[in-house]
Amino acid sequence: MKTHRPSFFTITLVVLLSAVRGESSTDCDFRAIFNFGDSNSDTGGLSAAFGQAPPPHGESFFHGPAGRYCDGRLKIDFMAESLGLPYLSAYLDAVGSNFSHGANFATAGSTIRPQNSTLHQSGFSPISLNVQWYQFNDFHRRSQIFRKQGAVFKQLLPKAEDFSRALYTFDIGQNDLTAGYFLNMSTDEVRAYIPDVLDQFKTVVKYLYGQGGRSFWIHNTGPVGCLPYVMDRLLITAGQVDRAGCANPFNEVAQHFNKKLKEAVAQLRVDLPHAALTYVDVYSVKYTLISRAKQFGFVHPLRACCGHGGKYNYNKQVGCGGKVKINGKEVLVGKPCQDPSVMINWDGVHYTQAANKWVFDRIADGSFSDPPIPLRMACHRHPPS
Ligand SMILES: *[C@@H]1O[C@H](CO)[C@@H](O)[C@H](O)[C@H]1NC(C)=O
Ligand SMILES: *[C@@H]1O[C@H](CO)[C@@H](O)[C@H](O)[C@H]1NC(C)=O
Ligand SMILES: *[C@@H]1O[C@H](CO)[C@@H](O)[C@H](O)[C@H]1NC(C)=O
């Protein structure tokens, strides 16, 4: 008689499967965050190099300027909080920085591709993603040289093993899209250079992998056509505006970029077999918030909170924290913004702390991720089962 004993093969398979399952449903215990990006996640880089973001930036949470283009915390701050890690010091910040649990290489105005114009000419940061990589590379090497000296260096710099136990986060690409438009390129011309932008993005992710990076959390780019600085600066004609009041052509380019970014991430999964790469659809979350603001307790989704004049309460010449003369009196731009906790747009370019928190709350659990992995499990290649 034939007995139905489980074969060695079946047992091995079951053990393997449960190992995979067990592993992928545990928290990752990230020891550090290394962030790369633009103003959406700059915690002090541009401020350290080119002048502090003035008050009222930072007023809602830090009670003063804190290197962020926001009234308070950014998504990257909420991410650090939720992982039990301190807020990230900007790599460029020479004063008061503590890199024991990571570093932030993002600067406001950063692009993936280096631009052929200065910050003064175009407003784009010279610290493009390739430069952020040079800085990370140097940070990695030198932090270990100094850590060996002990004393305070040991308290301020990450351990060697933390580089592979870190989460590498990205929020960059928005400025690569606007850069072309600000040079008067057509939508077709902007679309045409997106493959080059993403090639350069992939190169940097591969370099980081080469240095031991294994967990990558990649935000796609937001609906840039809903932001006052884009709508104000680039001529929008009737028929180009969608039901939410956003400029369609620019959002379409952002969505095209995101489709290609998702493909680039899929390619990286093939090229980097030991990496966990999570693509996060921040676009959809931001667009939902802007297009259904009222439903979520927000008001005036297309108006800047800290701004001055015009349809969008935004003036390119005098930004948030600047000074204007009203009835002969000098007034700080931003003072009329009473309640940033119900506004989505902070200064015409960036989101308020309240909006950042709202977005973070929706992306943290993996609902908008591919694969659907929560932030705290982003070291796993497969969703929890
Ligand atoms: C800058 O100029 C170089 C040389 O002409 C070109 O290869 C590169 O694509 C340009 N970069 C951008 C962002 O336009
Ligand atoms: C740096 O931050 C870590 C973690 O928050 C803390 O334990 C350490 O004391 C800090 N070091 C200094 C010198 O402040
Ligand atoms: C783009 O076009 C506008 C309007 O014609 C012009 O004022 C501006 O100088 C142009 N910008 C560039 C970078 O060519």
Side-chain angles (χ1 to χ4, degrees):
M1 209 178 117
K2 225 176 146 201
T3 56
H4 287 268
R5 280 194 308 172
S7 67
F8 173 73
F9 175 75
T10 321
I11 293 172
T12 313
L13 195 67
V14 167
V15 169
L16 268 177
L17 278 177
S18 46
V20 168
R21 282 208 202 98
E23 196 217 329
S24 62
S25 58
T26 54
D27 288 0
C28 299
D29 189 21
F30 291 119
R31 300 292 170 80
I33 300 173
F34 295 106
N35 181 66
F36 302 83
D38 56 27
S39 56
N40 287 306
S41 62
D42 181 0
T43 55
L46 198 79
S47 285
F50 294 102
Q52 184 63 236
H57 288 291
E59 66 173 7
S60 301
F61 185 77
F62 300 101
H63 308 297
R68 289 151 177 84
Y69 293 86
C70 182
D71 59 311
R73 287 162 291 177
L74 310 177
K75 288 190 290 301
I76 190 70
D77 295 313
F78 293 114
M79 287 160 67
E81 270 181 26
S82 80
L83 294 173
L85 297 171
Y87 299 137
L88 293 184
S89 293
Y91 168 76
L92 291 171
D93 210 338
V95 178
S97 286
N98 184 336
F99 301 113
S100 58
H101 294 284
N104 192 352
F105 299 90
T107 71
S110 287
T111 48
I112 293 172
R113 293 200 306 176
Q115 299 299 303
N116 293 318
S117 55
T118 65
L119 178 76
H120 182 70
Q121 289 165 329
S122 63
F124 294 108
S125 166
I127 302 161
S128 43
L129 186 59
N130 61 321
V131 178
Q132 295 181 27
W133 149 253
Y134 300 142
Q135 295 179 337
F136 170 85
N137 188 34
D138 210 39
F139 176 82
H140 191 179
R141 188 180 68 84
R142 297 180 74 230
S143 63
Q144 297 316 299
I145 294 171
F146 281 90
R147 209 173 186 278
K148 287 200 186 86
Q149 298 186 2
V152 74
F153 294 115
K154 224 173 153 172
Q155 280 180 47
L156 293 173
L157 297 167
K159 298 190 185 100
E161 62 266 30
D162 290 350
F163 285 87
S164 48
R165 301 200 58 174
L167 183 64
Y168 291 75
T169 54
F170 299 82
D171 195 323
I172 193 162
Q174 176 177 319
N175 294 321
D176 288 274
L177 303 181
T178 58
Y181 283 114
F182 292 165
L183 289 169
N184 293 337
M185 285 186 184
S186 68
T187 293
D188 284 343
E189 287 170 313
V190 171
R191 283 169 79 107
Y193 67 64
I194 289 176
D196 184 35
V197 172
L198 290 170
D199 279 346
Q200 301 196 23
F201 176 79
K202 283 191 284 189
T203 299
V204 169
V205 173
K206 286 180 186 173
Y207 286 158
L208 293 168
Y209 181 86
Q211 298 247 329
R214 289 296 176 265
S215 307
F216 300 89
W217 178 268
I218 300 161
H219 289 175
N220 71 5
T221 201
V224 70
C226 300
L227 300 179
Y229 84 111
V230 167
M231 292 193 286
D232 177 78
R233 184 156 168 187
L234 301 168
L235 188 67
I236 317 264
T237 55
Q240 293 189 324
V241 175
D242 70 11
R243 284 169 62 193
C246 302
N248 251 335
F250 309 115
N251 281 351
E252 275 167 17
V253 166
Q255 282 173 297
H256 175 74
F257 173 86
N258 289 340
K259 182 169 166 268
K260 296 291 167 190
L261 174 64
K262 199 172 177 182
E263 288 170 17
V265 172
Q267 183 57 47
L268 285 167
R269 287 195 193 103
V270 176
D271 296 343
L272 311 175
H274 301 294
L277 294 130
T278 311
Y279 167 91
V280 188
D281 183 14
V282 171
Y283 180 102
S284 296
V285 182
K286 285 180 172 172
Y287 190 79
T288 300
L289 176 61
I290 291 167
S291 57
R292 289 156 52 193
K294 235 183 227 145
Q295 188 184 328
F296 303 116
F298 288 87
V299 297
H300 310 308
L302 301 179
R303 282 174 66 81
C305 181
C306 181
H308 167 69
K311 187 174 169 192
Y312 306 108
N313 193 36
Y314 172 78
N315 179 337
K316 180 174 167 261
Q317 310 303 330
V318 197
C320 178
K323 286 187 179 108
V324 283
K325 274 217 163 113
I326 296 175
N327 301 328
K329 259 177 60 183
E330 208 167 62
V331 175
L332 180 73
V333 172
K335 273 302 161 201
C337 179
Q338 295 297 333
D339 195 358
S341 71
V342 293
M343 292 288 283
I344 294 171
N345 195 282
W346 168 240
D347 59 357
V349 186
H350 309 103
Y351 291 78
T352 58
Q353 168 176 265
N356 286 329
K357 172 79 165 63
W358 196 91
V359 173
F360 166 77
D361 285 343
R362 269 139 203 94
I363 61 173
D365 68 357
S367 309
F368 290 86
S369 299
D370 171 46
I373 292 178
L375 180 69
R376 60 179 206 285
M377 295 183 188
C379 60
H380 302 303
R381 293 165 55 81
H382 304 283
S385 46

